[in-house]
Amino acid sequence: MSTISTAPAPVSAPAADDGSRTYLVRTLGCQMNVHDSEHMAGMLEQAGYTRATAEDEAASRADVVVINTCAVRENAATRLYGNLGQLASVKAQRPGMQIAVGGCLAQKDRGTIVDKAPWVDVVFGTHNLDALPVLLERARHNEAAQVEIAESLQVFPSTLPTRRESVYAGWVSISVGCNNTCTFCIVPHLRGKERDRRPGEVLAEVGALVEAGAIEVTLLGQNVNSYGVEFGDRGAFAKLLRACGEIEGLERVRFTSPHPAAFTDDVIDAMAQTPNVMPQLHMPLQSGSDRILRAMRRSYRSEKFLGILDRVRAQLPDAAITTDIIVGFPGETEEDFAETLRVVEASRFSSAFIFQYSPRPGTPAATMGDQLPKEVVQERFERLQALQERVAGQEAARQVGRTVEVLVGEDSGRKDGATHRVTGRAPDNRLVHLALPADVASVDPAASDPRLADQVDARLPRPGDLVVVEVTRAAPHHLIADSAPAGGTFAVRRTRSGDAWAARERARLGGDDDHGHAHGGAAPSSGPVVLGLPTLRR
């Protein structure tokens, strides 16, 4: 079943259909949304659109602007309508410009988006991403807003065209939807029941990514370790990890997110025994209080959670473990909060996404009594944040003196004085800023890129290359590796991913491929890097 409606909208006269229409996709929310945005971009490019330049993206100048929304936090709607308000004035100056809203908030709010922002042309949901190009064309033809929300999954997103955000690291969905009933979460209502892909389909997509140049893959699911239940194999996720270990050329495998209630020892064994599965785990805690976990319908307790971490570290002593925590859930007492502090202290998380509870309409928690005053929640949030900063700083300090292999990203690193750094991720997903040898030319944005020269200094890493360095300093949220300028550990390993990045950039700068695809099929299209586990946008 689908909800389909049309509404009058001040749609500007269509632009000339000369094949030059541009697009941009703006993503709000989690890694699932980031990957959905890759599908949206892929479908638009298949339909003949080209991605707006970086300059035009920054100014919201495009013929089609798609906002992929999140509905998890209280300020989601505020962020959406803030974006839409800014786009209204841009659209008034651009004949033929169209605005589309998709994602979780679109699935939830449906036609009210057009009521509140009548300059929106298309609203589509999480279950019908594939409808985007058709709805845009229908809105242009009819000069009326098109709202289409499917009630169940129409097409598995992974079968859709995809414009990958990175040539060296990619997302692969193993499932969509969620069967859990957490009282604070609206995701199952918006994403639907869990649907699993067959292992062969997942591995084929991973293999295709590697063939195109990627050396890192992150497996995605709302609850990855319940993967396989739909087709009757409760050990399927551990088997999938081991199978990824057999893919030649795949150097790094990550996954997110597991659920503590479904986390089993066979997954720990697979992580420890599969060399390309990285020593990193994102394990959502949500609360350290058993009473609050029960109220949240989180079917585990704090001691089980800590036991999982102990077993992971017994086999992977250097694993970096991250988490999600909600502060101020309805009815949370000071004693409950003290339990969260206790568990966080014991867990030694390398980082944590800490959220202040906000009621989401449509969730059981929103109607619970004993909603906490804002000032109480804020004070607890600040105490927990201070504790986690201390723990993260201590855990990061333990990395000083260690030798790590860093997968270099596209962003430039921190700079101090004459030291120019590049940035990447260690195997445990910690962010590392590393300095180059003193006589290696740094990348100057105003000059030609030395990484694209015919003869590249073997010590100058490209995005996608791997660099072995020694950690010299640490902070709670990053590591510094300045061993190279002092003549210490520094070794660059060229990779297929680095080659693919260089081919993509040469094609893009040469102007002979508007989609950013390198000729010869060596690299997928260009875009901002998505490396390992991204920071959630707040």
Side-chain angles (χ1 to χ4, degrees), residues 212-412:
I215 60 174
E216 175 176 298
V217 163
T218 301
L219 305 176
L220 285 180
Q222 295 291 347
N223 179 9
V224 291
N225 45 15
S226 67
Y227 173 73
V229 171
E230 187 181 25
F231 53 81
D233 185 357
R234 292 185 176 273
F237 184 61
K239 294 174 185 175
L240 186 64
L241 290 178
R242 292 183 187 276
C244 285
E246 301 298 320
I247 298 176
E248 186 176 354
L250 179 59
E251 302 204 22
R252 295 186 171 192
V253 177
R254 305 185 191 278
F255 60 88
T256 191
S257 289
H259 190 295
F263 201 85
T264 50
D265 287 350
D266 62 335
V267 173
I268 300 173
D269 294 339
M271 292 175 65
Q273 297 164 13
T274 310
N276 63 358
V277 175
M278 294 294 96
Q280 173 228 336
L281 179 65
H282 185 74
M283 181 71 81
L285 169 64
Q286 305 303 3
S287 175
S289 162
D290 290 350
R291 192 180 71 84
I292 294 300
L293 288 171
R294 192 175 296 110
M296 289 178 167
R297 290 188 197 152
R298 301 284 289 179
S299 48
Y300 58 88
R301 301 296 174 254
S302 60
E303 291 312 303
K304 176 173 181 175
F305 184 93
L306 291 170
I308 292 171
L309 303 197
D310 288 343
R311 294 195 300 279
V312 169
R313 288 179 170 134
Q315 294 202 55
L316 296 161
D318 297 325
I321 299 175
T322 58
T323 198
D324 299 326
I325 304 171
I326 296 173
V327 175
F329 188 80
E332 180 187 77
T333 65
E334 182 61 30
E335 290 74 18
D336 294 320
F337 180 66
E339 281 295 285
T340 296
L341 296 176
R342 176 187 69 83
V343 175
V344 168
E345 178 83 58
S347 296
R348 313 305 297 172
F349 298 120
S350 60
S351 68
F353 296 107
I354 304 173
F355 302 98
Q356 298 185 39
Y357 172 77
S358 57
R360 304 306 298 133
T363 63
T367 60
M368 289 180 178
D370 206 6
Q371 303 278 332
L372 273 61
K374 172 66 177 175
E375 59 272 17
V376 172
V377 179
Q378 179 68 32
E379 189 272 337
R380 290 178 185 171
F381 172 82
E382 292 173 0
R383 270 194 286 160
L384 180 56
Q385 197 169 47
L387 169 61
Q388 177 54 38
E389 286 288 295
R390 175 174 63 79
V391 169
Q394 292 168 347
E395 291 302 301
R398 296 174 56 231
Q399 308 302 309
V400 174
R402 293 186 176 180
T403 298
V404 296
E405 187 174 55
V406 179
L407 176 55
V408 174
E410 294 193 71
D411 297 329
S412 60

Side-chain angles (χ1 to χ4, degrees), residues 79-92:
R79 295 186 65 195
L80 169 63
Y81 291 109
N83 273 270
L84 292 177
Q86 179 261 333
L87 289 172
S89 58
V90 178
K91 182 176 181 178

